[in-house]
Amino acid sequence: KEQQRIMMFQSLEFLIFFAAVSLLYWILPCRLRKYWLLVASYGFYLSFTPQLIVYLLGITLCSFGMGIAVGINRKKAAGLGRWTLALGIVGTVSVLLVVKYAGFAARSINTVIGLLGIQATLPQISLMQPIGISFFTFSAIGYLVDVYRGKRQEERNIFSYALYLSFFPIILSGPVERSTNLLRQIDHPTEIRFDTYHIRRGLLTMTFGYFLKLVIADRIGIFVNEAFANVATQPGCFLALAVAGFGIQLYCDFAGISYIAIGAGEVLGFSLQKNFAQPYLAVSISDFWRRWHISLTSWFRDYIYIPLGGNRKGKARKCINTMIVFLVSGLWHGAGWTYIIWGGINGLFIVLGDMLKPVRLKLIQLLHIQPDNAGNRFFRRAFTFIMVTFAWLFFRADSFQQAMEIMHRILTQWKPWALWNGSFWQLGINGANLTVLLVSLLMLLIVSLKAEQGKDWRDLLLKQGYAARLTVYMILIFSILIFGLYGPSFDAASFIYVDF
């Protein structure tokens, strides 16, 4: 959090930078474009952590060299290829483990040592964490595995590979790109054509991301932060709203930065992975995780769950593999026990849902329930939202003790009359802000329901006449400029997922 972040996506500096990069990118000859993007990407990264770029360079060189070795050795002998792959993964991931988790491991071991009454402690390690390290490390590991599996040839152009890991729209917080997608496009620059339709669609996608972030997420964040900062004085109904609000805040914040990244990539002619698919319209926890942070969830599936055996080795092994994946997912999000508990809760929900599925199907049959009718889907969506929100409590809480205190106050100090006695307005949200928030959430709901029906508002809009398109453009832009949160309290470094 001490790092410089003058070029976060919502800053004026980034908009000027992006416009200049895009303009020169399309002017340059095709063969030079990736080199320009590489220079721009490293310049972008240097604006955050110039002294820590050595980590990006180190992981790039290590995984590039090991990728060549994996590609050569797997053709000689399967065993040799596996050992080379293992060495490459260890070398790549070791930096992430030391930088992000060494301090957490030392604190946890010291706590256990203290409980055992042993008079000894491990030294505390506190290293500055390079921004985006979790994302470009996972992309590098995915590349090594893809080469080993024969899904792609080892990359021989260091500049192409360096751009793959450092591509500026995604280096902050994803999507976690695959070599079979982004690196393939970098390797075939002649396939990327100047297309005004995709440029306009990309700019619309970016604008929608800014709307989610600045108009919705940051506005909800005022209430959520105030409630979590003063748990002991809040009635249970406020805390329940704050936990639910955090789930929406996190979605709009992270989906917002994902839309900006994907839109920026589209302006530059690249097709990046979709990262969200209306997650709060999910009808089960499993369905939720097929829709939330899709690039990371699919990464865990392909590179951890399936290699562990997936669901191919019996029910018990499937449950264990599921729990491992979600515990690792929790740890990936943060070096703290609350994140691990959050991951464990989601894994447990999925395991229980899988175990109880035959019972649920039997009840549906006995009670003659139509699984796909509107009423049943509404109930399942509401129940899923409640379960997901419960898990978010541990994700947001500063400590396990705070999470327990919030749960206790929700159960014992509900006090619903606080919603009408004026106390709510003391949490930073006034009537005007609440109106803007509710209208914005209604717009998001309409867009999500249309997307659920297979109708993308961007494609529908771009098919309209000039006057209709211009009207919507102006409404979106002025909504962000007028209702987005700026001013003295504006924090240009406030994208939540950047810190993961």
Side-chain angles (χ1 to χ4, degrees), residues 3 22-23 58 91 136 184 360 363 389:
Q3 298 163 358
S22 301
L23 181 62
F136 60 74
R184 182 195 61 79
R360 187 171 66 252
L363 282 174
T389 298

Side-chain angles (χ1 to χ4, degrees), residues 155-173:
E155 180 59 54
R156 295 300 181 115
N157 187 318
I158 183 61
F159 300 108
S160 295
Y161 184 73
L163 177 58
Y164 161 64
L165 291 189
S166 66
F167 190 42
F168 73 88
I170 64 172
I171 196 170
L172 294 185
S173 53

Side-chain angles (χ1 to χ4, degrees), residues 406-446:
I406 291 172
M407 287 178 59
H408 180 263
R409 293 192 68 81
I410 289 175
L411 294 173
T412 63
Q413 304 289 326
W414 186 250
K415 299 180 181 179
W417 53 86
L419 293 168
W420 293 277
N421 66 9
S423 301
F424 182 81
W425 309 117
Q426 299 174 12
L427 295 176
I429 297 286
N430 57 27
N433 272 316
L434 183 61
T435 300
V436 171
L437 179 58
L438 292 177
V439 172
S440 301
L441 288 173
L442 179 61
M443 292 173 62
L444 175 59
L445 177 62
I446 293 171

Side-chain angles (χ1 to χ4, degrees), residues 359-389:
V359 177
R360 187 171 66 252
L361 293 176
K362 189 66 175 178
L363 282 174
I364 289 173
Q365 185 179 9
L366 290 174
L367 298 175
H368 304 289
I369 297 173
Q370 296 296 325
D372 293 324
N373 65 36
N376 188 51
R377 290 185 70 82
F378 176 82
F379 172 78
R380 293 177 66 189
R381 283 170 173 166
F383 182 73
T384 301
F385 180 79
I386 292 171
M387 301 292 280
V388 169
T389 298

